[in-house]
Amino acid sequence: MNIYKTAEELRSFVTEERKQGHRIAFVPTMGALHEGHLSLVRRALKENDCCIVSVFVNPTQFNNPRDLETYPRTLDADSRLLASIGTTALFAPEVETIYPEPDTRVFHVGAVAEVMEGKYRPGHFNGVMQVVSRLFDLVQPDCAYFGEKDFQQIAVLRAMAREIKSPVEIIACPIVREEDGLARSSRNTLLSEEGRAQAPNIYRILSESRTWSKELSPKAVIERATQLLDAIPTLRVEYFEIVDADTLQPITRWEDSPKPHGCITVYCGDVRLIDNIAYY
């Protein structure tokens, strides 16, 4: 596996791939890789000639300095994992490579970035769009793969691609879960023993809520799920919203959307976990 740290090295590699007529896939990550990330890479390798994976903890998307400080960094282990599944190239830049000067760009993608995570983490999505657009410029991929655990992020990045007229195809891939249902996440490594034991209740209750939706309104489903989760030690719901899967706007009746989707954020101790589920 080729490992590049500078934009110049990466550019030379991409140029050679293009000369050979290769289709380039890209998987951007913040490292601390797990099976969810690897599933994206495997699919990218299957569907394209080569796959570039980036590992970069992006400072502009953290609105909590403590969150940035504690985010797990495991580049050596990440490199070994990526090499073991045949990843073509790893791009592991320093902050100065991505941001040679402060990025002051502000993206205007509308309501998809203003609800849910946009409401509770001001500036987060603008930081995500800054880094992803910058990585797209450096990697010049044909397509990029993202996991559906970050359901809202995918909608935001598709809106960003339209705004900046990027030709990169954004491909969404299903959530990868542990055997007990917990969505795979780099943040799971930060959970206490008790927290790890309780966290699977998030998906358990989301799954149960599908049956409630046959009798209860979206609001009543939200209230019941929140009440049940908040009653579990170590868990605290920050928000649970049922929205249209395309617009991400909240719905009040099931018939308001052909694709109702539930998006939730739960604190498990001090660790913030997200998950989502389709009601269609």
PDB file of all heavy atoms in Angstrom, residues 11 70-71 228 245 249:
ATOM      1  N   ARG A  11      -0.639  13.917  -5.591  1.00  0.00           N
ATOM      2  CA  ARG A  11      -0.945  14.381  -6.955  1.00  0.00           C
ATOM      3  C   ARG A  11      -0.212  13.534  -7.991  1.00  0.00           C
ATOM      4  O   ARG A  11      -0.770  13.173  -9.034  1.00  0.00           O
ATOM      5  CB  ARG A  11      -0.563  15.860  -7.088  1.00  0.00           C
ATOM      6  CG  ARG A  11      -1.121  16.524  -8.346  1.00  0.00           C
ATOM      7  CD  ARG A  11      -0.896  18.022  -8.331  1.00  0.00           C
ATOM      8  NE  ARG A  11      -1.609  18.661  -7.223  1.00  0.00           N
ATOM      9  CZ  ARG A  11      -1.008  19.302  -6.223  1.00  0.00           C
ATOM     10  NH1 ARG A  11       0.307  19.388  -6.167  1.00  0.00           N
ATOM     11  NH2 ARG A  11      -1.718  19.861  -5.265  1.00  0.00           N
ATOM     12  N   THR A  70      -9.776  14.489  22.578  1.00  0.00           N
ATOM     13  CA  THR A  70      -9.916  13.084  22.985  1.00  0.00           C
ATOM     14  C   THR A  70     -10.215  12.150  21.810  1.00  0.00           C
ATOM     15  O   THR A  70     -10.273  10.935  22.013  1.00  0.00           O
ATOM     16  CB  THR A  70     -11.045  12.926  24.025  1.00  0.00           C
ATOM     17  OG1 THR A  70     -12.287  13.378  23.461  1.00  0.00           O
ATOM     18  CG2 THR A  70     -10.736  13.732  25.280  1.00  0.00           C
ATOM     19  N   TYR A  71     -10.402  12.685  20.606  1.00  0.00           N
ATOM     20  CA  TYR A  71     -10.741  11.811  19.476  1.00  0.00           C
ATOM     21  C   TYR A  71      -9.598  10.809  19.267  1.00  0.00           C
ATOM     22  O   TYR A  71      -8.433  11.195  19.217  1.00  0.00           O
ATOM     23  CB  TYR A  71     -10.977  12.623  18.199  1.00  0.00           C
ATOM     24  CG  TYR A  71     -11.744  11.829  17.170  1.00  0.00           C
ATOM     25  CD1 TYR A  71     -13.134  11.822  17.165  1.00  0.00           C
ATOM     26  CD2 TYR A  71     -11.077  11.046  16.228  1.00  0.00           C
ATOM     27  CE1 TYR A  71     -13.842  11.067  16.251  1.00  0.00           C
ATOM     28  CE2 TYR A  71     -11.778  10.279  15.314  1.00  0.00           C
ATOM     29  CZ  TYR A  71     -13.161  10.306  15.329  1.00  0.00           C
ATOM     30  OH  TYR A  71     -13.861   9.536  14.424  1.00  0.00           O
ATOM     31  N   LEU A 228     -37.988   5.769  27.309  1.00  0.00           N
ATOM     32  CA  LEU A 228     -37.383   4.475  27.591  1.00  0.00           C
ATOM     33  C   LEU A 228     -35.855   4.567  27.653  1.00  0.00           C
ATOM     34  O   LEU A 228     -35.224   3.957  28.528  1.00  0.00           O
ATOM     35  CB  LEU A 228     -37.811   3.455  26.531  1.00  0.00           C
ATOM     36  CG  LEU A 228     -39.274   3.012  26.581  1.00  0.00           C
ATOM     37  CD1 LEU A 228     -39.608   2.158  25.362  1.00  0.00           C
ATOM     38  CD2 LEU A 228     -39.554   2.227  27.867  1.00  0.00           C
ATOM     39  N   ALA A 245     -36.698  11.565   4.680  1.00  0.00           N
ATOM     40  CA  ALA A 245     -35.334  11.104   4.409  1.00  0.00           C
ATOM     41  C   ALA A 245     -34.588  11.971   3.409  1.00  0.00           C
ATOM     42  O   ALA A 245     -33.356  11.998   3.411  1.00  0.00           O
ATOM     43  CB  ALA A 245     -35.369   9.660   3.914  1.00  0.00           C
ATOM     44  N   GLN A 249     -36.560  17.371   6.969  1.00  0.00           N
ATOM     45  CA  GLN A 249     -37.462  18.215   7.748  1.00  0.00           C
ATOM     46  C   GLN A 249     -38.408  17.344   8.575  1.00  0.00           C
ATOM     47  O   GLN A 249     -38.871  16.296   8.106  1.00  0.00           O
ATOM     48  CB  GLN A 249     -38.257  19.141   6.823  1.00  0.00           C
ATOM     49  CG  GLN A 249     -37.371  20.106   6.052  1.00  0.00           C
ATOM     50  CD  GLN A 249     -36.406  20.865   6.948  1.00  0.00           C
ATOM     51  OE1 GLN A 249     -36.824  21.691   7.753  1.00  0.00           O
ATOM     52  NE2 GLN A 249     -35.118  20.584   6.828  1.00  0.00           N
TER      53      GLN A 249
END
